[in-house]
Amino acid sequence: MPSERTVERLSLYRHLLSRALTEGAAHVHSHQLAGMAGATAAQVRHDVMSIGYSGTPTQGYEVEKLIESIGEFLDTPLSRNIALMGVGNLGRAILSDFAVRRPTLKIVAAFDVEPDRVNRVIHGCRCHSLEELQQIIWTQQIAIAIIAVPASEAQPIADTLCEAGICGMLNFAPVRLQVPQGVFVDDVNITIALEKVSYFAGRKALDRGRIG
Amino acid sequence: MPSERTVERLSLYRHLLSRALTEGAAHVHSHQLAGMAGATAAQVRHDVMSIGYSGTPTQGYEVEKLIESIGEFLDTPLSRNIALMGVGNLGRAILSDFAVRRPTLKIVAAFDVEPDRVNRVIHGCRCHSLEELQQIIWTQQIAIAIIAVPASEAQPIADTLCEAGICGMLNFAPVRLQVPQGVFVDDVNITIALEKVSYFAGRKALDRGRIG
DNA sequence: TTTGTGCTGTTAAACGGTTAACGGCGATTC
DNA sequence: GAATCGCCGTTAACCGTTTAACAGCACAAA
């Protein structure tokens, strides 16, 4: 049972390795991968060990095999189909910037309440009304949802999704969602992230004597 | 020197408290705040202690005073002005959804390379060309930047920002930015977040027996 | 005024995660 | 073929964070 941090790093490793593979790298050493990921070599070795893959001394890890092993470990038996709730600015950004290149995870349906968005195809993804939600989630075998609706609508939407059998959500609304125990929620709060950056940037600036 | 987690929680507390204040709450207990934030009462007390504020028994914390204390602790002597790099879909989403309501942190300038975006006002924020960057960062006293450009452009943009004296960045590009030691970077990788949700949702589903 | 209750502030323990250390092995070189 | 070098796998120590426990206090009630 790996921690959230470990899963995040494994996912990061896979992306870095995929990029390295396209650049022709067949093998990588732990310290190389660590350099790319911003981690230590010991941590990379520890993470790789936890998924059961083994490299060889002097050769390091086989890039292709390691990618495969991470996939066997990370990719769940769940359906990889994702629903996007809310096709406002943020929803559109997610559709255009992030959904494209991932073959393992795919946004297959979008939902919105605005009549002028429903039944349109936006960035290659069809937008449906909320009334179709239950049926589409069932027929398309959707297990994950992205919450990109205004804060006031987030909780009702989450309730509907839970009733429809959704297993996990990535929530961009600045609200702590109440969900049943069996549903996993991860929050991405951009405002909080900005305040964190502001705080630590200020501290670093103080240390460097730029201000004060 | 608080940890990143602690700073995130303090920021979250402040938002929750602000909302509670508008709803008329003058006092809160640690377990109430913990319930809102998804933490434990002990953790709230520990965090509050770390910033030097004290409540009273039977009354708990004074909402207004606690907000003020968090502000004194979190809000840095840095300028609160932020630059947004890239006014594509994601940049526009950030401008419209997040920049609005925060008085402590404000996006005061946007930058893009697309000629049809430059010199336009988008969601109340003027978009400039990159050539104006150094001068505007200087005159507007901008200390923080949001990187919302394509991955291929992220590193050059970061280099320019560092040269211009930026102290911190919130990076949405799926690239690990190389920056000098005195600059703080926080990464928000939506793809990795989705894969994490997928993994833990799958595990939870297994535990609940939804899939086999 | 006295007693009781429930919360806070503080310290200590427990937990988890990161980092370090080291044995072992494969490749390469002489 | 032997030896040397460097990296991986593993275990253990270290560190930080979270959690628990307890003393003290303010207010309320009797």
Side-chain angles (χ1 to χ4, degrees), chain A residues 105-118:
Chain A
L105 255 31
K106 188 157 199 278
I107 298 177
V108 296
F111 296 88
D112 207 299
V113 293
E114 292 289 324
D116 55 343
R117 290 174 187 162
V118 172

Side-chain angles (χ1 to χ4, degrees), chain A residues 6-93:
Chain A
T6 304
V7 171
E8 286 177 358
R9 280 197 302 271
L10 286 170
S11 173
L12 175 60
Y13 296 160
R14 178 158 66 173
H15 292 122
L16 295 168
L17 291 168
S18 299
R19 201 175 306 165
L21 190 64
T22 65
E23 291 168 0
H27 298 268
V28 288
H29 293 297
S30 60
H31 62 87
Q32 292 175 315
L33 190 51
M36 301 184 227
T40 66
Q43 193 161 51
V44 169
R45 290 203 296 272
H46 202 276
D47 290 337
V48 170
M49 187 188 68
S50 74
I51 67 171
Y53 177 79
S54 282
T56 61
T58 67
Q59 294 278 0
Y61 304 114
E62 254 181 89
V63 176
E64 209 161 350
K65 291 281 178 58
L66 182 49
I67 291 173
E68 192 182 345
S69 288
I70 294 176
E72 287 170 8
F73 187 83
L74 278 191
D75 297 340
T76 64
L78 277 183
S79 161
R80 283 107 170 107
N81 293 340
I82 299 178
L84 172 66
M85 313 306 296
V87 196
N89 292 290
L90 180 60
R92 266 188 273 258

Side-chain angles (χ1 to χ4, degrees), chain B residues 56-100:
Chain B
T56 61
T58 67
Q59 295 278 0
Y61 304 115
E62 255 181 88
V63 176
E64 209 161 350
K65 291 281 178 59
L66 182 49
I67 290 173
E68 192 182 345
S69 288
I70 294 175
E72 287 171 7
F73 188 82
L74 278 190
D75 297 339
T76 64
L78 278 183
S79 161
R80 283 107 170 110
N81 293 340
I82 299 179
L84 172 66
M85 313 306 296
V87 196
N89 292 290
L90 180 60
R92 265 188 274 258
I94 292 170
L95 275 177
S96 69
D97 291 351
F98 301 100
V100 189

